[in-house]
Amino acid sequence: MSNAAKFGKVAVLFGGKSAERAVSLDSGQAVLEALLRSGVQAEAFDPQERSVTELVGYDRAFIVLHGRGGEDGQIQGVLEWLNLPYTGTGVQGSAIGMDKVKTKQIWQGSDLPTAPYRIITKDSDLDSVIADLGLPVIIKPVHEGSSVGMSKVEKAEDFAAAIEKATHHDAIVMAEKWITGREFTISFLNGQPLPVIRLQPPADVAFYDYEAKYQRNDVEYGIPCGLSEDEEKSLQALCLRAFQAVGAEGWGRIDAMQDEQGNFWLLEVNTVPGMTSHSLVPKAAQAVGYSFDQLCVAILEQTLTQSA
């Protein structure tokens, strides 16, 4: 137990006020309990319930705030200002990673494959969007995670409802070319890729959406992922380049697709992924021998190399 004393007093930041608050409460509680079991002096800290000025009483922070306010550089900036070491990606990488368009622009500028997209509004010329991207497309709020506000659109007349749903969550909305194929997720720990997981939602689900992520128990998670050894290494290397390109650090996750021709396409980066019983990073870490408790301590250990 004495080994855990090196961390001092740890604030586990979870809850917050984003659209992903409910998931963050689950993730944060799981992390808090894991750290306590490991002997760490950890305490819950919900920025919606307490002033961030109270963080001055802590030695470091474990960020489990999903979505805006926690995954977009805001809380990271506060912690930098307070000289408090924290888990995961810094201010700039967090801000980029939360913005799906900025992420895509950086990947495109780095010659990394990502699906074509268009920023759209209810007044966009949908004929030109369809001409550019084809159908189906997926409509996404640009600044949300956990598939919040996303819809698959297969017919032109369904665009309006999908845009309306997305703008409920974000003023900026994008249409992205639909890629038919297999979906994979690649987790990172200490900046290195873990085994690839194949996501296989049930047949009645159009894509790996919020319900599939958090509420259903019939999603299949393939480890091994079904790729050849060379393909898996190629995908891991691609995602590592993509992770580093946006400035992500430490731990996180990238989602990707393989189309029917065998090409890989990067979807998005998650700089504070879920840490619930359904979550993907714990599943990937378990495949290389980490218990959930060991994973949480390993993520927290990254704060020891930051200069406070």
Side-chain angles (χ1 to χ4, degrees):
M1 290 297 183
S2 58
N3 197 33
K6 63 189 174 187
F7 296 118
K9 190 176 174 186
V10 178
V12 181
L13 293 162
F14 63 102
K17 56 185 180 182
S18 82
E20 298 177 74
R21 175 176 171 82
V23 180
S24 177
L25 288 170
D26 284 350
S27 286
Q29 190 62 38
V31 169
L32 175 65
E33 291 171 5
L35 294 178
L36 290 172
R37 283 193 297 268
S38 303
V40 177
Q41 187 187 352
E43 294 180 5
F45 195 107
D46 185 345
Q48 181 167 287
E49 310 290 341
R50 298 171 65 181
S51 166
V52 291
T53 57
E54 294 179 47
L55 286 166
V56 294
Y58 293 87
D59 296 300
R60 64 200 67 248
F62 195 124
I63 301 173
V64 210
L65 289 163
H66 306 315
R68 283 187 259 194
E71 204 167 351
D72 59 1
Q74 289 189 44
I75 196 69
Q76 289 81 4
V78 169
L79 295 166
E80 295 273 354
W81 182 257
L82 297 174
N83 283 326
L84 214 64
Y86 57 88
T87 54
T89 296
V91 176
Q92 185 181 52
S94 297
I96 293 167
M98 195 68 208
D99 186 317
K100 293 181 177 70
V101 170
K102 292 285 187 289
T103 296
K104 279 181 169 290
Q105 288 169 339
I106 285 173
W107 285 345
Q108 288 172 330
S110 306
D111 288 327
L112 295 167
T114 185
Y117 73 96
R118 286 273 299 272
I119 295 174
I120 58 169
T121 69
K122 63 182 187 307
D123 302 317
S124 294
D125 178 352
L126 296 181
D127 288 338
S128 75
V129 173
I130 293 168
D132 280 356
L133 303 178
L135 284 172
V137 296
I138 187 156
I139 306 297
K140 300 179 177 181
V142 169
H143 301 97
E144 286 291 355
S146 286
S147 305
V148 168
M150 285 169 45
S151 306
K152 181 182 182 181
V153 170
E154 302 189 62
K155 304 190 296 289
E157 54 264 34
D158 295 336
F159 263 98
I163 294 170
E164 178 74 24
K165 177 180 175 182
T167 51
H168 180 69
H169 298 281
D170 194 355
I172 306 175
V173 174
M174 65 190 281
E176 183 180 66
K177 182 181 175 68
W178 181 268
I179 296 169
T180 299
R182 300 192 290 174
E183 184 169 356
F184 298 96
T185 192
I186 299 83
S187 300
F188 295 86
L189 182 62
N190 295 317
Q192 293 302 309
L194 294 171
V196 175
I197 300 177
R198 183 185 176 197
L199 307 175
Q200 185 68 52
D204 64 328
V205 174
F207 60 94
Y208 188 54
D209 60 6
Y210 187 93
E211 182 187 358
K213 283 177 178 169
Y214 302 114
Q215 294 162 355
R216 295 181 66 136
N217 292 309
D218 52 359
V219 177
E220 292 178 25
Y221 302 98
I223 312 177
C225 64
L227 294 170
S228 70
E229 187 178 343
D230 284 349
E231 281 182 313
E232 181 164 8
K233 284 181 178 171
S234 172
L235 180 56
Q236 287 172 317
L238 171 66
C239 289
L240 180 58
R241 284 175 58 208
F243 194 70
Q244 293 170 340
V246 297
E249 301 171 62
W251 76 296
R253 216 184 73 228
I254 282 183
D255 300 328
M257 295 287 298
Q258 185 185 39
D259 68 20
E260 291 170 318
Q261 289 71 47
N263 304 304
F264 290 120
W265 297 91
L266 300 161
L267 296 180
E268 58 187 78
V269 61
N270 299 273
T271 54
V272 185
M275 290 288 278
T276 70
S277 58
H278 281 63
S279 296
L280 298 162
V281 175
K283 291 180 192 297
Q286 186 179 21
V288 289
Y290 282 86
S291 69
F292 186 79
D293 293 8
Q294 289 168 332
L295 171 63
C296 292
V297 170
I299 294 169
L300 186 60
E301 279 178 341
Q302 294 164 9
T303 64
L304 296 173
T305 58
Q306 297 172 2
S307 52

mmCIF file with all atom_site columns, all heavy atoms in Angstrom, residues 33-51:
data_model
loop_
_atom_site.group_PDB
_atom_site.id
_atom_site.type_symbol
_atom_site.label_atom_id
_atom_site.label_alt_id
_atom_site.label_comp_id
_atom_site.label_asym_id
_atom_site.label_entity_id
_atom_site.label_seq_id
_atom_site.pdbx_PDB_ins_code
_atom_site.Cartn_x
_atom_site.Cartn_y
_atom_site.Cartn_z
_atom_site.occupancy
_atom_site.B_iso_or_equiv
_atom_site.pdbx_formal_charge
_atom_site.auth_seq_id
_atom_site.auth_comp_id
_atom_site.auth_asym_id
_atom_site.auth_atom_id
_atom_site.pdbx_PDB_model_num
ATOM 1   N N   . GLU A 1 33 ? -13.272 3.962  -7.241  1.00 0.00 ? 33 GLU A N   1
ATOM 2   C CA  . GLU A 1 33 ? -13.247 2.727  -6.449  1.00 0.00 ? 33 GLU A CA  1
ATOM 3   C C   . GLU A 1 33 ? -11.987 1.918  -6.725  1.00 0.00 ? 33 GLU A C   1
ATOM 4   O O   . GLU A 1 33 ? -11.401 1.322  -5.803  1.00 0.00 ? 33 GLU A O   1
ATOM 5   C CB  . GLU A 1 33 ? -14.506 1.904  -6.730  1.00 0.00 ? 33 GLU A CB  1
ATOM 6   C CG  . GLU A 1 33 ? -15.766 2.560  -6.167  1.00 0.00 ? 33 GLU A CG  1
ATOM 7   C CD  . GLU A 1 33 ? -17.059 1.886  -6.623  1.00 0.00 ? 33 GLU A CD  1
ATOM 8   O OE1 . GLU A 1 33 ? -16.973 0.830  -7.304  1.00 0.00 ? 33 GLU A OE1 1
ATOM 9   O OE2 . GLU A 1 33 ? -18.145 2.413  -6.305  1.00 0.00 ? 33 GLU A OE2 1
ATOM 10  N N   . ALA A 1 34 ? -11.532 1.904  -7.980  1.00 0.00 ? 34 ALA A N   1
ATOM 11  C CA  . ALA A 1 34 ? -10.310 1.169  -8.330  1.00 0.00 ? 34 ALA A CA  1
ATOM 12  C C   . ALA A 1 34 ? -9.091  1.766  -7.632  1.00 0.00 ? 34 ALA A C   1
ATOM 13  O O   . ALA A 1 34 ? -8.233  1.040  -7.110  1.00 0.00 ? 34 ALA A O   1
ATOM 14  C CB  . ALA A 1 34 ? -10.104 1.177  -9.838  1.00 0.00 ? 34 ALA A CB  1
ATOM 15  N N   . LEU A 1 35 ? -9.012  3.098  -7.626  1.00 0.00 ? 35 LEU A N   1
ATOM 16  C CA  . LEU A 1 35 ? -7.874  3.753  -6.971  1.00 0.00 ? 35 LEU A CA  1
ATOM 17  C C   . LEU A 1 35 ? -7.910  3.535  -5.458  1.00 0.00 ? 35 LEU A C   1
ATOM 18  O O   . LEU A 1 35 ? -6.863  3.289  -4.837  1.00 0.00 ? 35 LEU A O   1
ATOM 19  C CB  . LEU A 1 35 ? -7.867  5.254  -7.302  1.00 0.00 ? 35 LEU A CB  1
ATOM 20  C CG  . LEU A 1 35 ? -7.602  5.612  -8.772  1.00 0.00 ? 35 LEU A CG  1
ATOM 21  C CD1 . LEU A 1 35 ? -7.681  7.121  -8.971  1.00 0.00 ? 35 LEU A CD1 1
ATOM 22  C CD2 . LEU A 1 35 ? -6.255  5.079  -9.248  1.00 0.00 ? 35 LEU A CD2 1
ATOM 23  N N   . LEU A 1 36 ? -9.090  3.604  -4.882  1.00 0.00 ? 36 LEU A N   1
ATOM 24  C CA  . LEU A 1 36 ? -9.202  3.372  -3.436  1.00 0.00 ? 36 LEU A CA  1
ATOM 25  C C   . LEU A 1 36 ? -8.794  1.942  -3.086  1.00 0.00 ? 36 LEU A C   1
ATOM 26  O O   . LEU A 1 36 ? -8.079  1.724  -2.095  1.00 0.00 ? 36 LEU A O   1
ATOM 27  C CB  . LEU A 1 36 ? -10.630 3.661  -2.961  1.00 0.00 ? 36 LEU A CB  1
ATOM 28  C CG  . LEU A 1 36 ? -11.053 5.137  -2.979  1.00 0.00 ? 36 LEU A CG  1
ATOM 29  C CD1 . LEU A 1 36 ? -12.541 5.293  -2.676  1.00 0.00 ? 36 LEU A CD1 1
ATOM 30  C CD2 . LEU A 1 36 ? -10.224 5.962  -1.989  1.00 0.00 ? 36 LEU A CD2 1
ATOM 31  N N   . ARG A 1 37 ? -9.216  0.984  -3.897  1.00 0.00 ? 37 ARG A N   1
ATOM 32  C CA  . ARG A 1 37 ? -8.812  -0.418 -3.662  1.00 0.00 ? 37 ARG A CA  1
ATOM 33  C C   . ARG A 1 37 ? -7.301  -0.577 -3.761  1.00 0.00 ? 37 ARG A C   1
ATOM 34  O O   . ARG A 1 37 ? -6.712  -1.465 -3.133  1.00 0.00 ? 37 ARG A O   1
ATOM 35  C CB  . ARG A 1 37 ? -9.483  -1.346 -4.685  1.00 0.00 ? 37 ARG A CB  1
ATOM 36  C CG  . ARG A 1 37 ? -10.928 -1.658 -4.426  1.00 0.00 ? 37 ARG A CG  1
ATOM 37  C CD  . ARG A 1 37 ? -11.419 -2.817 -5.294  1.00 0.00 ? 37 ARG A CD  1
ATOM 38  N NE  . ARG A 1 37 ? -11.365 -2.526 -6.715  1.00 0.00 ? 37 ARG A NE  1
ATOM 39  C CZ  . ARG A 1 37 ? -12.369 -2.004 -7.428  1.00 0.00 ? 37 ARG A CZ  1
ATOM 40  N NH1 . ARG A 1 37 ? -13.514 -1.705 -6.840  1.00 0.00 ? 37 ARG A NH1 1
ATOM 41  N NH2 . ARG A 1 37 ? -12.228 -1.792 -8.724  1.00 0.00 ? 37 ARG A NH2 1
ATOM 42  N N   . SER A 1 38 ? -6.678  0.291  -4.570  1.00 0.00 ? 38 SER A N   1
ATOM 43  C CA  . SER A 1 38 ? -5.224  0.210  -4.773  1.00 0.00 ? 38 SER A CA  1
ATOM 44  C C   . SER A 1 38 ? -4.447  1.006  -3.726  1.00 0.00 ? 38 SER A C   1
ATOM 45  O O   . SER A 1 38 ? -3.224  1.121  -3.821  1.00 0.00 ? 38 SER A O   1
ATOM 46  C CB  . SER A 1 38 ? -4.880  0.726  -6.182  1.00 0.00 ? 38 SER A CB  1
ATOM 47  O OG  . SER A 1 38 ? -5.579  -0.012 -7.159  1.00 0.00 ? 38 SER A OG  1
ATOM 48  N N   . GLY A 1 39 ? -5.157  1.565  -2.761  1.00 0.00 ? 39 GLY A N   1
ATOM 49  C CA  . GLY A 1 39 ? -4.497  2.279  -1.680  1.00 0.00 ? 39 GLY A CA  1
ATOM 50  C C   . GLY A 1 39 ? -4.234  3.749  -1.942  1.00 0.00 ? 39 GLY A C   1
ATOM 51  O O   . GLY A 1 39 ? -3.571  4.420  -1.146  1.00 0.00 ? 39 GLY A O   1
ATOM 52  N N   . VAL A 1 40 ? -4.742  4.263  -3.048  1.00 0.00 ? 40 VAL A N   1
ATOM 53  C CA  . VAL A 1 40 ? -4.522  5.672  -3.382  1.00 0.00 ? 40 VAL A CA  1
ATOM 54  C C   . VAL A 1 40 ? -5.480  6.540  -2.571  1.00 0.00 ? 40 VAL A C   1
ATOM 55  O O   . VAL A 1 40 ? -6.653  6.193  -2.391  1.00 0.00 ? 40 VAL A O   1
ATOM 56  C CB  . VAL A 1 40 ? -4.750  5.903  -4.896  1.00 0.00 ? 40 VAL A CB  1
ATOM 57  C CG1 . VAL A 1 40 ? -4.609  7.384  -5.252  1.00 0.00 ? 40 VAL A CG1 1
ATOM 58  C CG2 . VAL A 1 40 ? -3.775  5.062  -5.714  1.00 0.00 ? 40 VAL A CG2 1
ATOM 59  N N   . GLN A 1 41 ? -4.986  7.679  -2.112  1.00 0.00 ? 41 GLN A N   1
ATOM 60  C CA  . GLN A 1 41 ? -5.833  8.629  -1.390  1.00 0.00 ? 41 GLN A CA  1
ATOM 61  C C   . GLN A 1 41 ? -6.617  9.458  -2.424  1.00 0.00 ? 41 GLN A C   1
ATOM 62  O O   . GLN A 1 41 ? -6.248  10.578 -2.776  1.00 0.00 ? 41 GLN A O   1
ATOM 63  C CB  . GLN A 1 41 ? -4.986  9.554  -0.503  1.00 0.00 ? 41 GLN A CB  1
ATOM 64  C CG  . GLN A 1 41 ? -5.818  10.459 0.401   1.00 0.00 ? 41 GLN A CG  1
ATOM 65  C CD  . GLN A 1 41 ? -4.974  11.485 1.142   1.00 0.00 ? 41 GLN A CD  1
ATOM 66  O OE1 . GLN A 1 41 ? -3.739  11.440 1.106   1.00 0.00 ? 41 GLN A OE1 1
ATOM 67  N NE2 . GLN A 1 41 ? -5.630  12.419 1.806   1.00 0.00 ? 41 GLN A NE2 1
ATOM 68  N N   . ALA A 1 42 ? -7.680  8.854  -2.920  1.00 0.00 ? 42 ALA A N   1
ATOM 69  C CA  . ALA A 1 42 ? -8.454  9.473  -3.997  1.00 0.00 ? 42 ALA A CA  1
ATOM 70  C C   . ALA A 1 42 ? -9.792  9.972  -3.469  1.00 0.00 ? 42 ALA A C   1
ATOM 71  O O   . ALA A 1 42 ? -10.384 9.369  -2.570  1.00 0.00 ? 42 ALA A O   1
ATOM 72  C CB  . ALA A 1 42 ? -8.686  8.458  -5.116  1.00 0.00 ? 42 ALA A CB  1
ATOM 73  N N   . GLU A 1 43 ? -10.261 11.068 -4.035  1.00 0.00 ? 43 GLU A N   1
ATOM 74  C CA  . GLU A 1 43 ? -11.555 11.634 -3.652  1.00 0.00 ? 43 GLU A CA  1
ATOM 75  C C   . GLU A 1 43 ? -12.324 12.034 -4.906  1.00 0.00 ? 43 GLU A C   1
ATOM 76  O O   . GLU A 1 43 ? -11.739 12.490 -5.894  1.00 0.00 ? 43 GLU A O   1
ATOM 77  C CB  . GLU A 1 43 ? -11.366 12.874 -2.767  1.00 0.00 ? 43 GLU A CB  1
ATOM 78  C CG  . GLU A 1 43 ? -10.758 12.579 -1.417  1.00 0.00 ? 43 GLU A CG  1
ATOM 79  C CD  . GLU A 1 43 ? -10.590 13.848 -0.575  1.00 0.00 ? 43 GLU A CD  1
ATOM 80  O OE1 . GLU A 1 43 ? -11.048 14.928 -1.024  1.00 0.00 ? 43 GLU A OE1 1
ATOM 81  O OE2 . GLU A 1 43 ? -9.998  13.751 0.514   1.00 0.00 ? 43 GLU A OE2 1
ATOM 82  N N   . ALA A 1 44 ? -13.645 11.893 -4.838  1.00 0.00 ? 44 ALA A N   1
ATOM 83  C CA  . ALA A 1 44 ? -14.506 12.332 -5.946  1.00 0.00 ? 44 ALA A CA  1
ATOM 84  C C   . ALA A 1 44 ? -14.526 13.854 -6.003  1.00 0.00 ? 44 ALA A C   1
ATOM 85  O O   . ALA A 1 44 ? -14.546 14.528 -4.969  1.00 0.00 ? 44 ALA A O   1
ATOM 86  C CB  . ALA A 1 44 ? -15.919 11.807 -5.730  1.00 0.00 ? 44 ALA A CB  1
ATOM 87  N N   . PHE A 1 45 ? -14.527 14.384 -7.230  1.00 0.00 ? 45 PHE A N   1
ATOM 88  C CA  . PHE A 1 45 ? -14.612 15.835 -7.408  1.00 0.00 ? 45 PHE A CA  1
ATOM 89  C C   . PHE A 1 45 ? -15.466 16.105 -8.649  1.00 0.00 ? 45 PHE A C   1
ATOM 90  O O   . PHE A 1 45 ? -15.041 15.833 -9.774  1.00 0.00 ? 45 PHE A O   1
ATOM 91  C CB  . PHE A 1 45 ? -13.219 16.453 -7.581  1.00 0.00 ? 45 PHE A CB  1
ATOM 92  C CG  . PHE A 1 45 ? -13.180 17.946 -7.418  1.00 0.00 ? 45 PHE A CG  1
ATOM 93  C CD1 . PHE A 1 45 ? -12.616 18.530 -6.289  1.00 0.00 ? 45 PHE A CD1 1
ATOM 94  C CD2 . PHE A 1 45 ? -13.726 18.778 -8.397  1.00 0.00 ? 45 PHE A CD2 1
ATOM 95  C CE1 . PHE A 1 45 ? -12.584 19.909 -6.137  1.00 0.00 ? 45 PHE A CE1 1
ATOM 96  C CE2 . PHE A 1 45 ? -13.707 20.149 -8.254  1.00 0.00 ? 45 PHE A CE2 1
ATOM 97  C CZ  . PHE A 1 45 ? -13.128 20.729 -7.111  1.00 0.00 ? 45 PHE A CZ  1
ATOM 98  N N   . ASP A 1 46 ? -16.677 16.617 -8.424  1.00 0.00 ? 46 ASP A N   1
ATOM 99  C CA  . ASP A 1 46 ? -17.584 16.936 -9.516  1.00 0.00 ? 46 ASP A CA  1
ATOM 100 C C   . ASP A 1 46 ? -17.594 18.452 -9.725  1.00 0.00 ? 46 ASP A C   1
ATOM 101 O O   . ASP A 1 46 ? -18.103 19.189 -8.883  1.00 0.00 ? 46 ASP A O   1
ATOM 102 C CB  . ASP A 1 46 ? -18.994 16.444 -9.182  1.00 0.00 ? 46 ASP A CB  1
ATOM 103 C CG  . ASP A 1 46 ? -19.980 16.635 -10.325 1.00 0.00 ? 46 ASP A CG  1
ATOM 104 O OD1 . ASP A 1 46 ? -19.665 17.388 -11.270 1.00 0.00 ? 46 ASP A OD1 1
ATOM 105 O OD2 . ASP A 1 46 ? -21.074 16.031 -10.266 1.00 0.00 ? 46 ASP A OD2 1
ATOM 106 N N   . PRO A 1 47 ? -17.022 18.927 -10.850 1.00 0.00 ? 47 PRO A N   1
ATOM 107 C CA  . PRO A 1 47 ? -16.945 20.380 -11.072 1.00 0.00 ? 47 PRO A CA  1
ATOM 108 C C   . PRO A 1 47 ? -18.306 21.065 -11.184 1.00 0.00 ? 47 PRO A C   1
ATOM 109 O O   . PRO A 1 47 ? -18.382 22.280 -11.090 1.00 0.00 ? 47 PRO A O   1
ATOM 110 C CB  . PRO A 1 47 ? -16.174 20.505 -12.390 1.00 0.00 ? 47 PRO A CB  1
ATOM 111 C CG  . PRO A 1 47 ? -15.495 19.197 -12.576 1.00 0.00 ? 47 PRO A CG  1
ATOM 112 C CD  . PRO A 1 47 ? -16.367 18.175 -11.922 1.00 0.00 ? 47 PRO A CD  1
ATOM 113 N N   . GLN A 1 48 ? -19.363 20.272 -11.371 1.00 0.00 ? 48 GLN A N   1
ATOM 114 C CA  . GLN A 1 48 ? -20.694 20.893 -11.380 1.00 0.00 ? 48 GLN A CA  1
ATOM 115 C C   . GLN A 1 48 ? -21.155 21.198 -9.961  1.00 0.00 ? 48 GLN A C   1
ATOM 116 O O   . GLN A 1 48 ? -21.968 22.103 -9.748  1.00 0.00 ? 48 GLN A O   1
ATOM 117 C CB  . GLN A 1 48 ? -21.720 19.984 -12.071 1.00 0.00 ? 48 GLN A CB  1
ATOM 118 C CG  . GLN A 1 48 ? -23.110 20.600 -12.137 1.00 0.00 ? 48 GLN A CG  1
ATOM 119 C CD  . GLN A 1 48 ? -24.047 19.869 -13.062 1.00 0.00 ? 48 GLN A CD  1
ATOM 120 O OE1 . GLN A 1 48 ? -23.922 19.950 -14.270 1.00 0.00 ? 48 GLN A OE1 1
ATOM 121 N NE2 . GLN A 1 48 ? -24.999 19.141 -12.492 1.00 0.00 ? 48 GLN A NE2 1
ATOM 122 N N   . GLU A 1 49 ? -20.611 20.458 -8.998  1.00 0.00 ? 49 GLU A N   1
ATOM 123 C CA  . GLU A 1 49 ? -21.043 20.612 -7.604  1.00 0.00 ? 49 GLU A CA  1
ATOM 124 C C   . GLU A 1 49 ? -20.078 21.467 -6.779  1.00 0.00 ? 49 GLU A C   1
ATOM 125 O O   . GLU A 1 49 ? -20.457 21.998 -5.738  1.00 0.00 ? 49 GLU A O   1
ATOM 126 C CB  . GLU A 1 49 ? -21.155 19.226 -6.932  1.00 0.00 ? 49 GLU A CB  1
ATOM 127 C CG  . GLU A 1 49 ? -21.962 18.196 -7.713  1.00 0.00 ? 49 GLU A CG  1
ATOM 128 C CD  . GLU A 1 49 ? -23.442 18.521 -7.738  1.00 0.00 ? 49 GLU A CD  1
ATOM 129 O OE1 . GLU A 1 49 ? -23.890 19.305 -6.899  1.00 0.00 ? 49 GLU A OE1 1
ATOM 130 O OE2 . GLU A 1 49 ? -24.144 17.998 -8.633  1.00 0.00 ? 49 GLU A OE2 1
ATOM 131 N N   . ARG A 1 50 ? -18.836 21.590 -7.234  1.00 0.00 ? 50 ARG A N   1
ATOM 132 C CA  . ARG A 1 50 ? -17.817 22.303 -6.454  1.00 0.00 ? 50 ARG A CA  1
ATOM 133 C C   . ARG A 1 50 ? -17.054 23.265 -7.344  1.00 0.00 ? 50 ARG A C   1
ATOM 134 O O   . ARG A 1 50 ? -16.923 23.053 -8.546  1.00 0.00 ? 50 ARG A O   1
ATOM 135 C CB  . ARG A 1 50 ? -16.820 21.303 -5.837  1.00 0.00 ? 50 ARG A CB  1
ATOM 136 C CG  . ARG A 1 50 ? -17.454 20.330 -4.859  1.00 0.00 ? 50 ARG A CG  1
ATOM 137 C CD  . ARG A 1 50 ? -16.479 19.229 -4.451  1.00 0.00 ? 50 ARG A CD  1
ATOM 138 N NE  . ARG A 1 50 ? -15.341 19.728 -3.696  1.00 0.00 ? 50 ARG A NE  1
ATOM 139 C CZ  . ARG A 1 50 ? -14.348 18.958 -3.250  1.00 0.00 ? 50 ARG A CZ  1
ATOM 140 N NH1 . ARG A 1 50 ? -14.363 17.657 -3.492  1.00 0.00 ? 50 ARG A NH1 1
ATOM 141 N NH2 . ARG A 1 50 ? -13.346 19.477 -2.577  1.00 0.00 ? 50 ARG A NH2 1
ATOM 142 N N   . SER A 1 51 ? -16.511 24.305 -6.736  1.00 0.00 ? 51 SER A N   1
ATOM 143 C CA  . SER A 1 51 ? -15.690 25.257 -7.478  1.00 0.00 ? 51 SER A CA  1
ATOM 144 C C   . SER A 1 51 ? -14.332 24.643 -7.785  1.00 0.00 ? 51 SER A C   1
ATOM 145 O O   . SER A 1 51 ? -13.714 23.995 -6.922  1.00 0.00 ? 51 SER A O   1
ATOM 146 C CB  . SER A 1 51 ? -15.494 26.532 -6.656  1.00 0.00 ? 51 SER A CB  1
ATOM 147 O OG  . SER A 1 51 ? -14.465 27.310 -7.222  1.00 0.00 ? 51 SER A OG  1
#
